[in-house]
Amino acid sequence: MENKRIIVIGGSAAGPKAAAKARRMDENAEITIYQKAADLSMASCGYPYYIGGFFDDRDQLLCSPAGVIRDSKFFWNAKKITTKVNTEVTSIDRKNKTIEFFDTITGEKGTAEYDKLVIATGATPRKPPIPGIDLEGITTLQSLPDADFLRKVHDEGKIKKAVVIGGGLIGIETCEALHLAEIDITIIELLPQLLTFLDKQMAKLVEKYVQSKANVILQNGVSAFLGENGKLTAVKLQNGTEIPCELAVIAIGVIPSTKLAKEIGLKIGQTGGIVVDEYMQTSDRDIYAVGDCIEISNLITNKPVHAPFGDLANLQGRVAGENVISGNVAKFPGTIQTGICKVFDYGVGSTGLSEQNAIKNGITNIETLVNASLDKPGFMQGKILVTKLIVDKSNGQVIGAQVLGPGDVSKQVAIWAMAVNCKLTVDDMANVDLPYAPPYSLAIDHSIATAHIMQNKLNGYFSGISAEQLKEKLGRKDNMVLLDVRNPNEYEQMRLGIGEKVIPLGQLRKRMEELPQDKNIEIITWCKISLRGYEAALILQANGYKNVKVLEGGLMAWPYEREK
Ligand SMILES: Cc1cc2nc3c(=O)[nH]c(=O)nc-3n(C[C@H](O)[C@H](O)[C@H](O)COP(=O)(O)OP(=O)(O)OC[C@H]3O[C@@H](n4cnc5c(N)ncnc54)[C@H](O)[C@@H]3O)c2cc1C
């Protein structure tokens, strides 16, 4: 039997993974990667950290775990994979199973035959079609040359003001990188919140924190780039404001690169990505597609989504690599859209559906909870975590979680991602045996405590109110008693200042007469994280108060201005 000829178009994340897996499955296959860019296997997720100076050796972006640069020589010596860099595939002939390509440096053209083809052409950054877009000083952050340009900006230290357009993951990561170069940054976001995968309250907490490092302008877009002598001097907003700047980074999302696929009539989905089945096979049985150029299924809603994430690109590449050799044996079922982002000293991550996304998708019978606690004991320098949990009330299943704060967010998001992926319920989560020792966790981990409070809420033992709901009530001037149950010294250091009474938890039983005699009056309790707030609520209920609510997450989850 003749050796199988596998051609992979795209040599960044998904493509090389597919090629490497195919090689592991078949020592004799003829595998070739065509890569338009000059480099291979670039760790694009590392670009913001290279730009920000977290490390200085650019080669580390291109290295294998063993520290070898993944260039053409490496691919051939270690994996017997032919790689053609600076080579763009310009067309595919499905009937004759060939591709046409050209060398972007020499202009040389050629054709090659395949038995199986893998399209891994990635995505291209969106750019607003507005005046001045071609001025010098405007960039995206998608390619290694983009990262080189911004690293140069960092090293030269000449630029003093920059604008980042887009408050998504890449925009925020770029903001931190440029902030480390002591550049004064303004983030501009068209929508009313940063990081749209978060619910409003969580996004507002992020915004409040980012505001301490950069200017944040929401609900405003860029209408023009202004310049002199071909160089950017300012960004003009839709409301007419002009923001002087020498640098603008556009990070308003990416579009699947599907030109080749469209030209040959492969099925394209409603999100703009190439349609594949769970084997990563396109509408042509000899062509597979993986990574940022495809659309996949959201495992909770079963709706198609474009999920441009590096982990998914690699998982899909692995599946396609196996299937092009062995027939359709491996499956990639879909995504729960887990993501995480470093926001200065905070981690911010999410998995599954947010509350707003669940409702948008018709899942309305849900319960939510915001919980705040340390990630490990105070004596081990525990740091705050704030989690919002979303549960399907009809069966208790966890369908989403968002976590943020200076604590170990990654671990929390990973725990909830497993819960969502494996369709675990709150009851399942309540007694999970996680590892515990003080350097790593609390005796009851933050995630498990969150499950416990949600269990209490579902069982009717805990009645919570979110910061957003309380803010609305304050706006309406509802008749209620606001009760901070921390100690006076804590109150002196930090307080909401919204008309609250202060009765420390330890004195509450003795000072009950200070509260209104009307047992139907609404009372809202809190403390720093609302653990004491919860205990206070139980004492009040035991004393006959019928309408007591705990401010979920306490002061730590309050995203609005505080008096102190
Ligand atoms: C700054 C940044 C930070 C990120 N951070 C994270 C993160 O923290 N976590 C995370 O999960 N994801 C992150 N991502 C997303 C992640 O990098 C992508 O999901 C992943 O790179 C997608 O891999 P891919 O191989 O599908 O596409 P790409 O990485 O886009 O690669 C596609 C390749 O195909 C080549 N190509 C295109 N057309 C042709 C053609 N016609 N012929 C030949 N070659 C072609 C291109 O040159 C390109 O190199 C980040 C992305 C960026 C840009």
Side-chain angles (χ1 to χ4, degrees):
M1 210 175 89
E2 290 204 350
N3 293 339
K4 264 199 176 139
R5 292 160 305 178
I6 310 293
I7 285 182
V8 176
I9 309 174
S12 175
K17 180 52 101 183
K21 182 66 181 174
R23 167 60 69 232
R24 288 177 196 141
M25 301 300 299
D26 182 349
E27 175 60 16
N28 298 316
E30 291 168 22
I31 306 171
T32 310
I33 299 175
Y34 290 83
Q35 165 69 322
K36 190 162 71 175
D39 299 287
L40 292 158
S41 287
M42 308 84 83
S44 30
C45 310
Y47 294 166
Y49 307 101
Y50 174 58
I51 296 164
F54 286 78
F55 61 99
D56 295 322
D57 180 5
R58 179 188 188 270
D59 285 350
Q60 286 190 27
L61 290 166
L62 305 167
C63 277
S64 73
V68 186
I69 293 182
R70 285 182 285 212
D71 55 12
S72 291
K73 202 167 133 208
F74 164 82
F75 270 95
W76 181 253
N77 289 342
K79 300 181 188 291
K80 214 175 78 166
I81 292 171
T82 305
T83 52
K84 293 185 178 294
V85 294
N86 296 311
T87 306
E88 179 174 354
V89 174
T90 49
S91 66
I92 301 165
D93 179 342
R94 282 170 68 177
K95 193 158 153 270
N96 296 306
K97 295 173 72 170
T98 59
I99 58 149
E100 277 187 347
F101 60 87
F102 89 104
D103 186 311
T104 57
I105 292 178
T106 64
E108 205 178 309
K109 290 183 180 169
T111 58
E113 295 177 6
Y114 65 84
D115 295 308
K116 300 284 177 195
L117 181 69
V118 180
I119 300 179
T121 44
T124 39
R126 270 179 216 280
K127 281 191 180 177
I130 53 174
I133 186 89
D134 295 323
L135 287 167
E136 194 182 312
I138 302 173
T139 185
T140 55
L141 177 53
Q142 180 72 12
S143 65
L144 195 44
D146 293 340
D148 288 335
F149 169 72
L150 289 172
R151 174 67 199 230
K152 198 160 158 251
V153 164
H154 173 279
D155 291 347
E156 285 179 350
K158 288 186 198 150
I159 287 183
K160 300 291 169 226
K161 281 179 186 292
V163 162
V164 173
I165 302 160
L169 295 174
I170 294 179
I172 301 250
E173 288 180 354
T174 307
C175 175
E176 180 181 4
L178 296 177
H179 180 81
L180 287 167
E182 293 177 11
I183 296 175
D184 179 12
I185 324 251
T186 302
I187 302 178
I188 297 160
E189 169 58 57
L190 193 59
L191 297 170
Q193 68 171 73
L194 299 175
L195 300 176
T196 49
F197 55 86
L198 297 175
D199 283 318
K200 275 194 218 116
Q201 178 181 345
M202 299 295 274
K204 194 91 191 141
L205 283 167
V206 176
E207 182 195 326
K208 198 167 143 196
Y209 176 58
V210 174
Q211 289 274 20
S212 66
K213 315 275 183 183
N215 313 311
V216 179
I217 298 178
L218 300 176
Q219 287 180 288
N220 214 328
V222 176
S223 64
F225 293 104
L226 310 178
E228 274 169 28
N229 304 323
K231 287 189 181 170
L232 179 74
T233 55
V235 158
K236 187 170 181 183
L237 302 187
Q238 285 166 352
N239 67 357
T241 312
E242 286 181 19
I243 301 172
C245 61
E246 307 126 276
L247 173 72
V249 184
I250 302 172
I252 55 171
V254 292
I255 308 166
S257 299
T258 55
K259 185 170 170 282
L260 290 172
K262 275 184 188 154
E263 280 169 2
I264 54 169
L266 295 186
K267 195 167 169 204
I268 305 294
Q270 63 196 67
T271 70
I274 303 169
V275 172
V276 291
D277 61 16
E278 56 195 353
Y279 304 108
M280 300 286 103
Q281 204 168 28
T282 68
S283 48
D284 179 323
R285 56 193 301 278
D286 294 317
I287 304 180
Y288 291 70
V290 284
D292 284 6
C293 62
I294 65 170
E295 73 173 27
I296 51 179
S297 188
N298 180 298
L299 291 172
I300 308 165
T301 63
N302 292 321
K303 291 188 182 155
V305 288
H306 181 230
F309 287 106
D311 58 327
L312 300 180
N314 277 283
L315 296 175
Q316 295 155 8
R318 183 172 176 274
V319 167
E322 185 164 355
N323 290 342
V324 290
I325 298 297
S326 309
N328 289 344
V329 287
K331 287 182 184 177
F332 175 83
T335 177
I336 52 169
Q337 293 182 272
T338 305
I340 187 164
C341 160
K342 181 175 180 316
V343 183
F344 298 91
D345 292 333
Y346 274 27
V348 179
S350 127
T351 185
L353 300 178
S354 64
E355 181 182 2
Q356 52 203 37
N357 208 1
I359 292 168
K360 207 167 93 192
N361 280 285
I363 307 169
T364 51
N365 188 18
I366 51 178
E367 188 58 87
T368 69
L369 171 82
V370 176
N371 180 34
S373 82
L374 295 178
D375 59 353
K376 51 191 175 183
F379 61 79
M380 295 306 290
Q381 289 79 48
K383 292 182 181 148
I384 281 286
L385 289 166
V386 180
T387 293
K388 175 163 179 174
L389 190 64
I390 296 109
V391 168
D392 183 338
K393 256 172 140 174
S394 64
N395 51 17
Q397 255 178 37
V398 178
I399 59 167
Q402 299 151 52
V403 190
L404 61 85
D408 187 353
V409 167
S410 172
K411 169 183 156 186
Q412 296 297 314
V413 177
I415 289 170
W416 291 117
M418 291 300 289
V420 173
N421 214 90
C422 300
K423 299 188 175 3
L424 299 184
T425 64
V426 174
D427 290 346
D428 293 328
M429 288 301 293
N431 289 309
V432 168
D433 187 2
L434 293 179
Y436 162 60
Y440 306 107
S441 152
L442 298 174
I444 291 187
D445 184 73
H446 173 77
S447 58
I448 306 294
T450 306
H452 288 169
I453 303 171
M454 179 59 100
Q455 230 181 6
N456 288 341
K457 200 169 181 183
L458 292 170
N459 289 333
Y461 307 147
F462 174 97
S463 183
I465 180 167
S466 70
E468 261 178 305
Q469 288 165 330
L470 178 54
K471 182 87 176 156
E472 278 169 28
K473 280 177 160 296
L474 290 168
R476 286 196 306 262
K477 299 196 170 24
D478 283 6
N479 183 26
M480 55 191 168
V481 175
L482 302 169
L483 193 59
D484 184 336
V485 295
R486 295 173 304 145
N487 294 321
N489 61 335
E490 292 175 87
Y491 184 76
E492 272 317 303
Q493 284 166 18
M494 179 170 45
R495 59 173 172 263
L496 296 186
I498 53 173
E500 64 269 38
K501 191 172 177 56
V502 184
I503 304 181
L505 179 69
Q507 298 174 14
L508 186 58
R509 288 183 181 87
K510 286 178 272 176
R511 292 174 56 184
M512 206 56 77
E513 76 285 352
E514 292 178 35
L515 295 173
Q517 293 309 300
D518 175 5
K519 300 284 170 161
N520 290 314
I521 192 154
E522 187 170 27
I523 305 181
I524 295 175
T525 62
W526 69 83
C527 60
K528 186 174 176 188
I529 57 171
S530 277
L531 179 58
R532 282 171 287 172
Y534 173 48
E535 287 171 352
L538 294 176
I539 294 171
L540 292 169
Q541 280 161 2
N543 280 274
Y545 286 96
K546 296 190 179 64
N547 193 5
V548 187
K549 296 194 179 83
V550 183
L551 176 61
E552 294 182 2
L555 271 94
M556 289 297 97
W558 182 259
Y560 311 107
E561 284 300 307
R562 289 193 310 251
E563 188 178 87
K564 201 163 178 186

